[in-house]
């Protein structure tokens, strides 16, 4: 059933009374609010006053045609999804309508289950778009405003946002954000800063991997004139520049041991010395560190100071990889399509269901950063108004039907075995191991999710 502050409102414009009645009888029990109109003129009036979310619009209408109505409808409301109703003889007109902004078309005669499935897909896109708009609301300019810049509705992300909100209320607590490369650790760090009381103060990000080892201390803490050969003048470090604000130490695991001890003192005592300096400088900064390394392992290997590790880990946050938050993929895809539309001057409406399914089944070793790149590629390649499977990289389009690894075999019992029983047992095992997540279970079994659903239905597995 559709979710939201009010039921999804559906308008059906068709001169056939039976079709209007069938839509109403089929969709209202599902929780939709259904409006009907016999003519294009009556339908346009309802669009103007009732604001439907989805419009089913017949191409052949008495008086004004569906194509003419579509053009006027877009002038009234450019946000509602329009699905054209067409007979076989007018499929070409339906294609023209899609070029003019219709989302899809429905051919007569149609099955009402087909209507329900098409509407469900359309509503999913509407819901995702509204969620992205809600998260982006009140975001001033290009700079993200607080935790609303973190896109996601999975359990892991919602829990992370709750902890981020707690951190925002205490703008002095040191934070350590751990996670794989590309998961958005820097974005989360910036979000925490902008959600805190320090939002109007400097935010200085230090990429520890980009600094030459011999210049790390100078860049972070500054240096006095004559401190070393090329120190021709006194230089303020990034800690001084961030006074009153937040310092994000990106990939802190790369900082040399010689600098770690000085950084520890800065965190504990809020003071430090420039390279070559003789006096202490005091700063009020919040430290947020990020890492894609296992710092505990680095401590055991002697590459990272244990006291600094525990000092940073006052409030640890673990950002999960994208493969563990697959429910967020459609939402992120919509967000990135909108971002790329603005950047690349395109007007795509989103990602097709088939392409989205491939995205759900892919493991995303590059995480959210890789997803963003894939969407950028898709927006560039798309000639229509959606990203299709053909616009995705080859690695996303590979099916799960791979050959079994060499040497893998199953022994057949002497008395034989029921193949159906084995198949049912394996499906139950995969679903249990995946916690009921059908996408993960299908991936374990090297089959598509549609195949898994078919076999679940076959064996009566809910």
């Amino acid at each position: 059933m559709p979710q939201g502050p009010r039921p999804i409102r559906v308008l059906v414009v068709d001169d056939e009374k039976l079709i209007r009645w069938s839509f109403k009888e089929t969709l209202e029990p599902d929780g939709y609010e259904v409006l009907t109109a016999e003519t294009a003129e009556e339908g346009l009036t309802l669009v103007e006053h009732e604001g439907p979310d989805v419009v089913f619009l017949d191409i052949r209408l008495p008086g004004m045609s569906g194509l003419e109505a579509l053009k006027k409808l877009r002038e009234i409301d450019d946000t509602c999804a329009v699905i054209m109703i067409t007979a076989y003889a007018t499929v070409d007109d339906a294609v023209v309508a899609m070029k003019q902004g219709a989302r899809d078309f429905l051919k007569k005669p149609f099955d009402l289950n087909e209507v329900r499935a098409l509407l469900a897909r359309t509503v999913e896109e509407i819901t995702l778009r509204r969620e992205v708009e809600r998260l982006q609301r009140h975001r001033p300019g290009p700079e993200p405003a607080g935790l609303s810049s973190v896109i996601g509705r999975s359990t892991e992300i919602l829990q992370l946002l709750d902890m981020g909100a707690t951190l925002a209320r205490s703008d002095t607590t040191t934070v350590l954000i751990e996670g794989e490369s590309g998961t958005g650790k820097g974005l989360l760090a910036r979000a925490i800063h902008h959600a805190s009381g320090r939002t109007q103060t400097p935010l200085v990000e230090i990429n520890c991997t980009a600094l030459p080892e011999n210049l790390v201390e100078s860049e972070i803490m500054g240096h006095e004139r004559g401190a070393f050969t090329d120190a021709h003048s006194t230089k303020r470090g990034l800690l001084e520049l961030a006074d009153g604000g937040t310092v994000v130490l990106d990939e802190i695991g790369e900082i040399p041991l010689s600098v770690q001890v000085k950084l520890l003192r800065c965190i504990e005592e809020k003071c430090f010395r420039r390279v070559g300096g003789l006096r202490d400088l005091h700063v009020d900064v919040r430290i947020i560190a990020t890492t894609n390394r296992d710092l505990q392992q680095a401590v055991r290997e002697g590459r990272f100071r244990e006291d600094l590790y525990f000092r940073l880990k006052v409030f640890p946050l673990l950002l999960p990889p994208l493969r563990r938050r697959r429910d967020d993929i459609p939402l992120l895809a919509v967000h990135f399509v909108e971002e790329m539309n603005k950047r690349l001057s395109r007007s795509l409406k989103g990602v097709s269901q088939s392409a989205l399914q491939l995205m759900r089944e892919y493991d995303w070793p590059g995480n959210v950063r890789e997803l963003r790149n894939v969407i950028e590629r898709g927006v560039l390649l798309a000639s229509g108004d959606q990203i299709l499977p053909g616009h995705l990289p080859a690695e996303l389009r590979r099916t799960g039907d791979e050959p079994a690894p060499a040497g893998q075999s199953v022994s057949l019992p002497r008395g034989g075995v029921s193949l159906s029983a084995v198949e049912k047992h394996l499906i139950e095992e995969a679903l249990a191991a995946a916690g009921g997540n059908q996408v993960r279970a299908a991936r374990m079994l090297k089959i598509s999710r549609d195949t898994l659903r078919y076999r679940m239905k076959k064996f009566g597995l809910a």
Side-chain angles (χ1 to χ4, degrees), residues 180-244:
E180 295 178 9
S181 179
T183 49
K185 300 185 295 295
L187 174 67
L188 179 58
R190 291 190 290 274
I192 291 171
H193 167 79
H194 287 292
S196 74
R198 294 180 185 260
T199 185
Q200 300 300 322
T201 62
L203 170 64
V204 175
E205 299 182 62
I206 303 171
N207 186 347
C208 301
T209 60
L211 296 176
E213 186 171 339
N214 60 330
L215 293 180
V216 172
E217 184 178 356
S218 173
E219 288 294 320
I220 295 177
M221 301 181 182
H223 61 251
E224 299 288 352
R225 180 180 179 183
F228 46 87
T229 304
D230 294 325
H232 302 300
S233 61
T234 299
K235 176 184 177 180
R236 298 172 68 198
L238 296 174
L239 284 172
E240 284 184 77
L241 296 175
D243 192 17

Side-chain angles (χ1 to χ4, degrees), residues 75-88:
E75 293 173 359
I76 298 171
D77 184 353
D78 194 38
T79 62
C80 69
V82 180
I83 298 171
M84 306 303 293
I85 302 176
T86 174
Y88 284 110

Side-chain angles (χ1 to χ4, degrees), residues 48 52 420 447:
E48 189 168 5
S420 294
I447 59 177

Side-chain angles (χ1 to χ4, degrees), residues 1 15 33 58 99 148 152 166 194 261 266 302 347 383 393 439 446:
M1 182 180 294
D15 59 333
E33 180 183 344
D58 192 9
K99 291 181 179 178
S148 64
T166 300
H194 287 292
V261 65
C266 178
S347 56
S383 55
V439 172
K446 306 297 184 184

